[in-house]
């Protein structure tokens, strides 16, 4: 009896040591900086698109502001890429699942809850108990695209609901991705890109009336439709793992700048959903290139100010709706239009430093204490 117990304890110790000895890959600061521009694009979409249309600004600028919602697509591709990069060396066992889901909860939920609380005084309409349950459990966007329930409570939170579905299935996706060789990984990335382009999937939020080549009454849930972007990021990251020097071999500084220019041009000159989807495909290749860690654009995105803003990008993205409503209520028009973005960026940085990071550390510390008992 005692010998069996000793063996069990020893195995557990070895498992813990093996897990703790797994070396994390080096950080990718340029991708953190890139996150800020994804959040900024959405911020400008909500604050500036309507103003640009009324003010008669040049068409390319108006197009760029109206296409700012594509920052969401950039977030989805980045999410797949960064999660795969972070966990590429992990052993996908039960302990990994517990650690992964707790880490995602600690990363996402504190700011999510903060946004919900800030939004309570400025809710447009009352919430039913079913609405509250859907939002608190983050399933409000697990609906067909025609449904607009994803916009309940905090409008931007619909993307967190989609992300939660990605997180739920990420271990299985990563396990499958690890079985693919270089050729099939490249083909999988190309297939995901093709789906994004053909169906214009980057333009499928809640309340979408129609999707190219799909029935207007399709019952496919939004997370499934948007999963091509996440999987695209996963497969691009796997290519960097299988070919760690490929991004250096195919181009350097000039390619980074060219890809960024194509992405911006797409925002400025496209108006159909399939053309806009090209932005997602191009920024995926740009993410792959930036992961190489060199070039002028990489250096800019890795600067300390952009690292801070990139860290605050989640709070910036999620708090913008509630804070805009509060500014509209308490700051006289039209001054609210100019002060609101400044207030939002400042509040996002404060939330990141004094709420998001402390809550995350506290939750993970409590979890580790319980897990090690």
């Amino acid at each position: 009896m005692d010998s069996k117990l000793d063996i069990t304890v020893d195995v557990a110790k070895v498992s813990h040591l093996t897990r703790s000895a797994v070396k994390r890959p080096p950080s990718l600061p340029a991708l953190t900086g890139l996150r800020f521009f994804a959040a900024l694009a959405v911020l400008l979409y909500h604050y500036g698109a309507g103003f640009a249309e009324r003010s008669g600004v040049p068409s390319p600028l108006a197009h760029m502001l109206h296409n700012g919602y594509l920052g969401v697509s950039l977030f989805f591709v980045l999410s797949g890429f960064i999660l795969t990069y972070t966990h590429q060396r992990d052993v996908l066992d039960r302990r990994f699942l517990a650690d992964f889901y707790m880490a995602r909860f600690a990363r996402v939920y504190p700011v999510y809850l903060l946004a919900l609380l800030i939004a309570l005084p400025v809710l447009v309409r009352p919430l039913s108990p079913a609405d509250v349950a859907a939002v608190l459990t983050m399933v409000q966007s697990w609906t067909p695209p025609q449904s607009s329930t994803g916009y309940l409570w905090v409008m931007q939170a619909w993307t967190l609901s989609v992300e939660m579905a990605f997180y739920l299935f990420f271990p299985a996706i990563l396990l499958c991705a690890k079985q693919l060789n270089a050729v099939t990984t490249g083909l999988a990335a190309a297939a995901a890109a093709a789906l994004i382009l053909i169906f214009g999937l980057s333009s499928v939020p809640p309340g979408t009336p129609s999707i190219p080549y799909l029935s207007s009454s399709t019952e496919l849930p939004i997370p499934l439709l948007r999963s091509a972007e996440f999987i695209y990021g996963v497969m691009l990251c796997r290519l960097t793992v299988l070919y760690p020097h490929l991004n250096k071999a195919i181009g350097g500084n000039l390619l980074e700048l060219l890809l960024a220019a194509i992405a911006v041009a797409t925002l400025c000159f496209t108006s159909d959903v399939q053309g806009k989807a090209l932005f997602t495909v191009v920024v995926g290749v740009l993410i792959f290139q930036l992961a190489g860690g060199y070039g002028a654009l990489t250096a800019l995105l890795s600067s300390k100010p952009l690292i801070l803003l990139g860290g605050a990008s989640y709070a910036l993205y999620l708090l913008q709706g509630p804070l805009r409503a509060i500014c509209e209520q308490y700051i006289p028009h039209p001054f609210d239009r100019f002060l609101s973005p400044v207030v939002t960026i400042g509040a996002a940085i404060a939330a990141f430093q004094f709420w998001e990071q402390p809550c995350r550390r506290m939750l993970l510390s409590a979890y580790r204490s319980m897990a090690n008992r």
Side-chain angles (χ1 to χ4, degrees), residues 46-364:
H46 287 293
Y47 281 99
F51 175 79
E53 191 172 295
R54 293 190 300 271
S55 304
V57 301
S59 179
L61 178 58
H63 266 99
M64 184 175 71
L65 292 172
H66 275 289
N67 289 336
Y69 70 85
L70 292 171
V72 170
S73 195
L74 173 52
F75 272 127
F76 287 162
V77 179
L78 263 175
S79 180
F81 192 100
I82 292 173
L83 283 178
T84 304
Y85 181 81
T86 302
H87 298 291
Q88 59 182 292
R89 299 171 183 171
D90 287 347
V91 178
L92 304 184
D93 55 12
R94 290 183 181 179
R95 179 64 185 272
F96 167 81
L97 294 178
D99 290 352
F100 174 77
Y101 290 129
M102 185 61 213
R104 291 295 89 203
F105 177 83
R107 171 72 175 87
V108 167
Y109 214 83
V111 176
Y112 183 79
L113 183 60
L114 178 64
L116 297 180
L117 292 174
I118 292 175
L120 280 175
V122 288
L123 282 178
V124 176
R125 65 179 181 84
L127 296 166
S128 69
D131 293 340
V132 172
V135 173
L136 290 178
T137 56
M138 304 182 79
V139 299
Q140 67 268 39
S141 292
W142 296 13
T143 59
Q146 298 83 9
S147 172
S148 60
T149 59
Y151 294 142
L152 290 169
W153 206 331
V154 172
M155 184 178 70
Q156 282 79 20
W158 76 267
T159 63
L160 272 297
S161 175
V162 174
E163 278 278 354
M164 195 53 59
F166 295 163
Y167 297 158
L168 183 63
F169 294 106
F170 172 71
I173 294 171
L174 180 60
L175 182 61
C176 292
K178 283 186 172 186
Q179 311 307 311
L180 304 180
N181 60 28
V183 173
T184 50
T185 300
L187 290 174
L195 289 173
I196 294 167
L197 288 169
I198 292 168
F199 297 102
L201 297 178
S202 302
S203 300
V204 181
T208 300
S210 64
I211 301 170
Y213 305 111
L214 288 180
S215 167
S216 59
S217 60
T218 180
E219 291 298 310
L220 293 173
I222 293 173
L224 179 61
L225 291 167
R226 300 301 296 259
S227 64
E229 294 154 293
F230 183 80
I231 292 171
Y232 182 50
V234 170
M235 295 306 166
L236 286 173
C237 184
R238 286 296 298 164
L239 286 175
T240 67
V241 174
L242 296 169
Y243 291 111
H245 304 295
L246 180 60
N247 43 24
K248 292 184 180 180
I250 63 175
N253 188 48
L254 182 61
L255 183 58
E256 284 185 5
L257 296 174
L258 178 61
L259 289 168
I262 294 172
V264 172
T266 304
L267 293 177
C268 291
F269 297 104
T270 55
S271 56
D272 63 283
V273 294
Q274 288 158 316
K276 293 176 183 182
L278 179 62
F279 170 82
T280 303
V281 175
V282 171
V283 294
V285 181
L286 177 60
I287 290 166
F288 173 84
Q289 196 64 26
L290 291 172
Y294 63 99
L297 186 57
T298 299
L300 174 65
L301 293 171
S302 302
S303 62
K304 287 184 178 180
L306 282 176
I307 291 296
L308 173 61
L309 291 168
S313 62
Y314 172 48
L316 175 61
Y317 172 78
L318 201 53
L319 296 179
Q320 61 180 272
L323 291 176
R324 182 173 65 252
I326 289 173
C327 287
E328 287 174 353
Q329 187 167 324
Y330 293 104
I331 300 176
H333 186 77
F335 302 106
D336 63 304
R337 303 296 298 176
F338 300 99
L339 291 176
S340 185
V342 178
V343 170
T344 301
I345 292 174
I349 294 172
F352 171 63
Q353 293 184 316
F354 302 113
W355 175 258
E356 180 179 340
Q357 292 195 110
C359 287
R360 186 181 185 185
R361 286 193 292 264
M362 180 187 68
L363 288 170
L364 290 178

